[in-house]
Amino acid sequence: MVIASAASTVVQAFSQIGRVFSTTEGMDTAALFERVRGFDLFGECDEPCLQRLIGEATWFGLPGGMQLDRDGENDQAVFLVLSGRLRVSVADDKGALHVVAHVPAGETVGEMSLLAGDAHSAILTAARDTELLRLSKASFLRVTAREPRVMTNLTRLIIKRLRATTARAASLMRPKTFALVPLDPGIDAIAFGATLRETLGRMGLAVAVFDQRHREEPTENQYHAETRNDLVIYVGDEAGSAWSQHCIRQADRVMLLTRAGAAAHGRAFEQVAAAGRRYELVVLHGAANENGAMRNASEDRHNIRLARHADVARLARLMTGRAVGLVLAGGGARGFAHIGAVRALREAGVTFDMVGGSSMGAVIAAGVAMEWDDRELLERMHGVFVKARPLRDYTLPLIALLRGGRVQTQLKSHFGEICIEDMALPFFAMTSDLTDGHAKVQRSGPVWRALKASVSIPGLLPPVVIDGHLHVDGGIMNNLPVDVMAAEARGPIVAIDVVGDAGLRVSDENYGDESWLSSIRRMRRGAPGLTSILMRAGTVGNEYHRRMARAQADLVIDPDLPGIGLTHWKKFDSAVAAGYRAVKETLERQGLPATLQAAA
């Protein structure tokens, strides 16, 4: 038996690299036997079979963030994940690594390469402190020769994996362990962890919590907690401590706690970066109406007002893949339908946890992110686009037909100087970057600036400069950005698409070739003019991309907007009513999707 000597060697190695690691020191053969017996691969093996397997195996461990070296004895081997989790990554044609799956405790990896004799195409990294048993190729062949049942089980497992690759990958990518690490002295992380646990419990989830009071407990407790609970939360004590490092290494997702208005820095950031971990900021606000801000480059930021249980509940849904995302398409005046649709969805019991959109959709989504109720959203949007008539400040068309000053004034008057990262709900706005030719997702900076860029149709409004790049209407490249929301993998998505039959039509082939006087007469009869053409160009997007985006949504709403064009601002009430009616009719016809019901 080589388990004891291997454990000793690993302890020395971890000490040399300066990482804290809880080994299996003290684990007896009986405990190891119980773990191995739970593997599907050895489900039909009797006790002598398992004892022989353990005798052939070598125990070793990987600290969180460390890559599994596939040279030497690890080249052709089967690995049993006893505890922790392995992250599976593959490189694209440019050498960039992408995570494609996770291997949790109780599963095996490496058997496909061993049987096929192929070179390793995937990179295995410890997602957190991980204990493994290695069966070399020779050992595995000896075990299967004496126990054919193992090979039979392996064949069944491979078939099962091939049949459910997509569903299995999505399930395994969902985080199960979380680390809450306070950045600032005085943050009561234990109390926040308890509140979060209580909230998750009301969602029907079993949650185990480990804090510094459990640091002396054997790692067996943590292992069993993960197998017996839906989620495990590790609560750190302070940035930079040995216990906080342990929590970070054990976590699938790291959540750093800080106070509103605090400078986001500290050793915890360095530890997360060193481990190659993506982190999220949880910004704690002391009161329900507190608007303190904190600046940091993290795209994942959650503003939690401690006096509001709804904020903690939203965080719980975001953690567990139950958060509802709302995506609103651009469409000029047709976008007013979003207002009615949002109202009807709220009446149906749908709570939005994150929002985003393009062009007009981005503006209305920002109102949802500001937590405006139905009446406030209606009145503000009517004030901006109908009463104020912002598309009237014509200028010498050197850059665009309009100066854009009125648009900026109106956006500032309603959104002020608040930044996207300080909004109550996570929000993004799509823009099209003319400098590098790519669609861009705006997740930080002043809300008004991102919105102005998202609605700046080229030729109609001047581009907006963001970080030295020229940004214009997001609808040009991605008018219904469901893919951006889906990439977050936070939960079900509702998409409202108002483009519909907004295409411009003219029957006379002489359109555009006539005198200016004839053109004016034709426009009076309903032919599209310059503004309509530019508006349509800014919202047409890519039809193939649009179809793919719709397929990624759990619920798609298509308001029927006959006679409402992109520039028909005075048909505000009709568009709002059409959006409301579309949701009501859709839900009456097909009901609320099961994914949205589960998220409620």
Side-chain angles (χ1 to χ4, degrees):
M1 183 73 65
V2 295
I3 295 176
S5 61
S8 176
T9 302
V10 172
V11 173
Q12 296 175 6
F14 291 153
S15 300
Q16 291 173 1
I17 63 175
R19 296 194 181 189
V20 177
F21 185 82
S22 299
T23 75
T24 55
E25 183 178 354
M27 177 195 295
D28 55 20
T29 304
L32 186 57
F33 177 87
E34 289 299 319
R35 291 194 186 186
V36 174
R37 188 167 62 177
F39 282 73
D40 290 340
L41 184 58
F42 310 109
E44 297 181 6
C45 292
D46 55 19
E47 184 171 344
C49 170
L50 292 178
Q51 294 291 0
R52 284 193 294 270
L53 185 148
I54 293 174
E56 292 276 0
T58 302
W59 178 96
F60 69 102
L62 285 178
M66 178 173 285
Q67 182 176 320
L68 177 61
D69 187 357
R70 302 303 295 273
D71 294 331
E73 292 183 332
N74 290 343
D75 179 35
Q76 295 289 320
V78 175
F79 301 95
L80 285 68
V81 183
L82 297 175
S83 66
R85 178 175 292 206
L86 293 177
R87 184 168 58 244
V88 184
S89 306
V90 297
D92 59 21
D93 55 358
K94 297 182 180 179
L97 290 178
H98 301 275
V99 178
V100 296
H102 284 80
V103 183
E107 293 207 10
T108 59
V109 65
E111 59 269 32
M112 294 284 284
S113 296
L114 184 148
L115 294 176
D118 296 335
H120 307 296
S121 58
I123 294 174
L124 303 177
T125 307
R128 52 182 180 269
D129 289 351
T130 301
E131 297 175 79
L132 301 158
L133 277 185
R134 179 183 63 233
L135 276 173
S136 67
K137 183 174 183 178
S139 297
F140 182 76
L141 293 178
R142 281 196 296 271
V143 170
T144 54
R146 299 187 61 176
E147 302 291 343
R149 291 168 293 184
V150 174
M151 187 60 72
T152 302
N153 288 345
L154 178 58
T155 303
R156 291 173 180 169
L157 284 174
I158 292 175
I159 293 174
K160 182 179 178 181
R161 291 174 183 176
L162 291 175
R163 286 178 175 175
T165 299
T166 301
R168 179 177 180 274
S171 175
L172 294 180
M173 291 295 285
R174 184 164 296 163
K176 185 169 186 177
T177 60
F178 297 82
L180 300 179
V181 181
L183 294 181
D184 310 322
I187 291 180
D188 194 343
I190 293 179
F192 184 75
T195 300
L196 193 55
R197 179 183 188 176
E198 180 182 351
T199 303
L200 291 164
R202 285 196 290 266
M203 295 167 57
L205 299 173
V207 183
V209 177
F210 292 95
D211 54 48
Q212 64 263 36
R213 295 171 296 187
H214 301 83
R215 71 178 75 198
E216 301 300 329
E217 294 182 1
T219 55
E220 285 289 295
N221 293 357
Q222 297 176 17
Y223 168 78
H224 289 302
E226 186 171 341
T227 58
R228 295 168 181 170
N229 292 273
D230 298 304
L231 300 174
V232 177
I233 298 176
Y234 293 88
V235 182
D237 48 1
E238 59 180 290
S241 72
W243 172 251
S244 290
Q245 291 181 53
H246 173 75
C247 294
I248 290 172
R249 289 199 312 275
Q250 295 303 100
D252 295 328
R253 183 166 292 171
V254 179
M255 311 183 80
L256 305 178
L257 307 181
T258 189
R259 297 179 185 277
H265 64 275
R267 293 179 63 186
F269 280 109
E270 298 172 4
Q271 294 165 5
V272 173
R277 299 299 186 87
R278 179 178 176 178
Y279 64 87
E280 301 179 14
L281 289 174
V282 178
V283 184
L284 304 177
H285 300 253
N289 60 351
E290 184 178 288
N291 291 315
M294 190 192 80
R295 296 288 166 263
N296 192 270
S298 173
E299 291 185 353
D300 295 304
R301 172 191 166 111
H302 313 285
N303 290 303
I304 305 298
R305 291 157 293 190
L306 296 175
R308 294 191 53 174
H309 176 264
D311 286 5
V312 181
R314 180 175 63 251
L315 179 62
R317 291 191 294 271
L318 288 164
M319 291 170 59
T320 56
R322 301 186 183 188
V324 177
L326 175 67
V327 179
L328 305 182
R334 296 168 67 91
F336 295 145
H338 293 315
I339 301 171
V342 167
R343 175 189 164 198
L345 287 166
R346 285 171 169 170
E347 290 178 356
V350 178
T351 299
F352 305 117
D353 297 301
M354 49 197 310
V355 293
S358 289
S359 199
M360 176 65 79
V363 178
I364 297 175
V368 176
M370 293 283 288
E371 297 183 312
W372 294 343
D373 60 24
D374 297 332
R375 180 176 180 180
E376 185 174 11
L377 185 63
L378 181 79
E379 292 177 349
R380 285 182 180 272
M381 293 300 101
H382 187 273
V384 172
F385 294 102
V386 181
K387 289 184 178 180
R389 304 176 70 186
L391 301 182
R392 293 290 178 180
D393 54 346
Y394 292 98
T395 185
L396 188 65
L398 298 176
I399 300 177
L401 290 176
L402 306 175
R403 288 194 310 108
R406 287 190 180 184
V407 172
Q408 178 171 314
T409 298
Q410 286 301 310
L411 291 174
K412 278 190 170 183
S413 68
H414 289 274
F415 293 97
E417 293 296 334
I418 189 172
C419 288
I420 293 175
E421 54 267 43
D422 296 322
M423 301 178 85
L425 272 62
F427 166 78
F428 71 85
M430 293 302 302
T431 63
S432 300
D433 190 336
L434 296 182
T435 303
D436 65 13
H438 292 94
K440 291 295 176 65
V441 184
Q442 303 297 328
R443 298 183 187 272
S444 62
V447 175
W448 69 263
R449 185 180 295 278
L451 296 180
K452 183 183 178 184
S454 192
V455 301
S456 290
I457 297 170
L460 186 63
L461 290 164
V464 175
V465 179
I466 300 177
D467 296 330
H469 287 215
L470 297 179
H471 290 257
V472 295
D473 197 292
I476 295 175
M477 295 183 177
N478 193 346
N479 196 51
L480 186 63
V482 178
D483 57 325
V484 176
M485 188 71 75
E488 296 292 320
R490 298 286 193 171
I493 300 172
V494 177
I496 305 177
D497 189 359
V498 296
V499 173
D501 59 352
L504 305 180
R505 297 179 178 85
V506 179
S507 57
D508 192 343
E509 294 182 358
N510 293 322
Y511 173 77
D513 295 333
E514 56 216 347
S515 66
W516 63 269
L517 184 59
S518 298
S519 295
I520 292 176
R521 291 172 179 167
R522 191 181 298 278
M523 289 171 57
R524 289 178 176 176
R525 296 195 297 269
L530 178 59
T531 300
S532 295
I533 293 172
L534 293 175
M535 290 282 289
R536 178 56 176 163
T539 58
V540 67
N542 180 292
E543 185 60 27
Y544 172 76
H545 186 279
R546 176 172 171 255
R547 289 198 301 269
M548 294 296 293
R550 291 167 61 91
Q552 291 178 284
D554 295 75
L555 176 65
V556 178
I557 303 298
D558 289 296
D560 186 15
L561 299 164
I564 301 178
L566 301 171
T567 59
H568 292 168
W569 310 107
K570 293 183 179 180
K571 295 186 178 181
F572 180 90
D573 293 335
S574 297
V576 172
Y580 183 86
R581 185 169 56 252
V583 171
K584 289 292 187 180
E585 292 175 352
T586 299
L587 297 185
E588 288 176 2
R589 183 172 60 253
Q590 65 187 50
L592 200 64
T595 51
L596 290 172
Q597 295 179 30

